[in-house]
Amino acid sequence: MSSLAPDFVKTLVNRFTLDRETEEDSAGRVRLQTLVVLRWIAIVGQLLALLFVHFGIGFRLPLLSCLLVVGVSAALNIALFLIYPSAKRLSERGAAGYLGFDLAQLAALLYLTGGVENPFALLILVPVTISATILSLRSTVLLGLQAFVLIGVLALWHLPLPWDQGGLALPFTYKMGAFVALVLGMLFIAAYAWQVAEEARRMSDALTATQMALAREQQVSALGGLAAAAAHELGSPLGTIAVVAKELSREIEPDDPLAEDIGLLLSQAQRCREILARISRRPEEQGDGEAFADLGIANLLTMAADPWRRQGVTFSVQLKGSGEAPNLPRRPEIVQGLSNLFQNAMEFARSEVVAEVDWDAERIRVDILDDGPGMNVDILSALGEPYTTSRPEAGGMGLGVFISMNLLRRSGASVGFSNRRGGGAQVRVTWPRQQLAKAWAKAVMGVASPDASGTLPP
């Protein structure tokens, strides 16, 4: 049990730091209309309590001052309703400021009506509790500190509690007891609410991530079935094309202008048949030696780019890391994923495609650069989703990038797309070195585990 307290404190500190770094990223979590409705409920309750105590019970209150404080809150609510649409979502900072104002307004009302001696002082816990359920730990802590200061001020300075026959004077000990009770109650309720809400958020995030992963796997599986069906269906037409082209080549003289075109047709038909055969081949038929052969990274990149090289476009590999260049396993998902990316780069490049390789002890990074027109900024953020393409008029389906990203992610890589400042596109593929090395060692089973730096044994 003694180790649980330091772990809990460490978790809170890490969470607080993370919330400071990502405060602006959590924008849009809270709907303004939700907080406006809660404030209207508070305003109606405050008005009813003030009027009942003043007129119903006959306790004399500074009614005009109290109504002015409530009126300021109501005016702000009306202004927010008129300025912003009902669907407006507040940023983390905006929601915290909204609840901070509610704390200050309630403290001003309590100051006019007895401070912590007022039974309604318990309501000062409400804004902090709301923050614990919908905002980050950092915002909740800041609101808790504000409430702590306000409770302390109300315990020492406030107008007398409205009472009949000369008023009621409570001892200082009772006031301090009320102060301690409010503070402890605030801490306990806020901590409990935040913990429950955090568990719910974590479960929701995990469920969303699982659903996205399953959806992607279903898309990849569907594409695999589609590829197998296409390979089967295209076999007969390609065979017919090859037979007809071969017959035509026999009937045409070698010096005929069409001979070269027919020869090209035959070679491309043969290439299509080889590709379809490779797609149809089961993974276990490919052999472990071929799948996990150890190639230098420059050779592997060259092999992935070679099928798509064309006249007028040069290709080069530049090694920029320090020390010995790393090796990449010749795994089908790595080779095919990089090959699809090189295909796009070669198609759009004007004169040059460069593969820049950088590495250190933590990661291996490959940048695929071309000098083409760059990527369409309208779809840049959506690249990697199926059927996202900048060339629908040319028959592009946007599946090449989608397949590449999923293949490379299976190897542990992350893929990013951007436009270069000088023109052209950049695709960055990054592998965590330790993860890649462990995955390879596990795949071949007989290889020893990598060392701490992520280096594979020879």
Side-chain angles (χ1 to χ4, degrees):
M1 291 294 292
S2 60
S3 63
L4 292 178
D7 291 341
F8 179 72
V9 173
K10 183 178 180 181
T11 301
L12 288 180
V13 171
N14 291 339
R15 182 67 183 177
F16 183 83
T17 305
L18 178 62
D19 287 334
R20 286 191 68 182
E21 294 174 350
T22 61
E23 177 181 349
E24 296 302 324
D25 295 337
S26 60
R29 180 183 294 176
V30 188
R31 279 209 316 164
L32 176 61
Q33 186 179 12
T34 302
L35 296 181
V36 167
V37 171
L38 291 175
R39 181 180 285 174
W40 279 125
I41 295 174
I43 290 172
V44 172
Q46 292 169 358
L47 283 175
L48 291 176
L50 289 171
L51 296 176
F52 176 75
V53 171
H54 189 80
F55 295 107
I57 303 179
F59 293 172
R60 307 307 298 173
L61 292 171
L63 191 59
L64 290 179
S65 299
C66 293
L67 292 178
L68 178 63
V69 173
V70 177
V72 170
S73 184
L76 180 59
N77 242 20
I78 293 173
L80 292 173
F81 175 77
L82 294 176
I83 294 174
Y84 295 104
S86 58
K88 168 72 176 177
R89 289 188 174 271
L90 294 176
S91 66
E92 178 85 12
R93 185 175 301 176
Y98 191 102
L99 295 174
F101 173 84
D102 287 343
L103 270 176
Q105 186 264 354
L106 183 58
L109 199 58
L110 290 173
Y111 171 81
L112 297 171
T113 57
V116 295
E117 301 172 13
N118 190 324
F120 290 100
L122 183 67
L123 294 177
I124 206 166
L125 308 182
V126 173
V128 181
T129 304
I130 293 174
S131 173
T133 58
I134 61 177
L135 298 183
S136 66
L137 179 62
R138 178 175 182 252
S139 297
T140 302
V141 169
L142 294 177
L143 285 171
L145 291 175
Q146 180 187 355
F148 175 81
V149 172
L150 292 175
I151 294 172
V153 171
L154 292 173
L156 299 175
W157 299 285
H158 55 82
L159 296 183
L161 181 69
W163 207 259
D164 58 351
Q165 299 177 356
L168 176 67
L170 295 174
F172 180 77
T173 304
Y174 177 85
K175 296 178 183 179
M176 289 299 100
F179 167 76
V180 173
L182 287 173
V183 170
L184 292 180
M186 177 185 66
L187 291 176
F188 175 78
I189 294 175
Y192 179 79
W194 181 82
Q195 186 66 29
V196 172
E198 181 66 12
E199 288 293 333
R201 285 192 289 264
R202 190 179 296 118
M203 290 296 295
S204 177
D205 293 342
L207 178 60
T208 301
T210 302
Q211 290 174 337
M212 292 178 63
L214 288 174
R216 287 187 176 275
E217 288 298 324
Q218 289 173 352
Q219 290 170 332
V220 172
S221 298
L223 287 171
L226 181 62
H232 175 74
E233 295 293 335
L234 290 175
S236 296
L238 278 175
T240 303
I241 294 172
V243 170
V244 173
K246 190 173 295 184
E247 292 296 328
L248 289 174
S249 67
R250 291 174 181 173
E251 296 178 2
I252 293 178
E253 298 296 332
D255 57 349
D256 192 292
L258 295 178
E260 183 178 352
D261 293 336
I262 293 176
L264 179 61
L265 181 62
L266 275 171
S267 65
Q268 293 301 308
Q270 180 61 29
R271 182 182 172 193
C272 287
R273 297 183 70 175
E274 292 174 356
I275 292 173
L276 292 178
R278 188 165 64 248
I279 292 175
S280 303
R281 195 182 309 158
R282 290 177 296 179
E284 59 268 21
E285 296 174 352
Q286 295 178 1
D288 290 341
E290 178 184 356
F292 297 99
D294 186 6
L295 292 177
I297 192 167
N299 293 330
L300 186 141
L301 294 175
T302 301
M303 181 185 70
D306 273 345
W308 313 111
R309 298 178 71 168
R310 59 187 179 88
Q311 287 185 344
V313 177
T314 62
F315 173 74
S316 61
V317 178
Q318 299 179 2
L319 305 179
K320 294 193 170 184
S322 58
E324 185 179 355
N327 293 327
L328 280 178
R330 187 183 171 186
R331 297 174 59 175
E333 59 265 36
I334 293 179
V335 176
Q336 190 61 48
L338 291 173
S339 182
N340 286 358
L341 297 178
F342 279 122
Q343 178 185 6
N344 283 344
M346 292 290 183
E347 288 182 0
F348 286 100
R350 294 189 178 96
S351 61
E352 182 183 33
V353 173
V354 178
E356 292 184 355
V357 185
D358 194 7
W359 65 88
D360 55 28
E362 301 296 329
R363 50 110 180 107
I364 299 172
R365 189 185 73 209
V366 175
D367 288 336
I368 300 175
L369 313 173
D370 66 65
D371 59 353
M375 301 180 188
N376 190 335
V377 294
D378 295 333
I379 65 168
L380 190 58
S381 60
L383 277 177
E385 297 298 325
Y387 308 111
T388 300
T389 177
S390 60
R391 301 176 296 169
E393 68 285 349
M397 299 179 64
L399 296 179
V401 175
F402 169 72
I403 294 171
S404 295
M405 289 188 66
N406 281 277
L407 289 174
L408 292 170
R409 281 171 177 168
R410 287 185 178 183
S411 70
S414 61
V415 185
F417 302 89
S418 61
N419 286 322
R420 302 168 65 188
R421 289 186 178 181
Q426 172 177 324
V427 183
R428 173 163 292 182
V429 186
T430 306
W431 287 273
R433 196 159 184 173
Q434 184 76 1
Q435 180 181 351
L436 182 62
K438 285 182 177 179
W440 192 24
K442 183 178 179 180
V444 297
M445 296 299 291
V447 180
S449 298
D451 58 27
S453 66
T455 302
L456 287 169

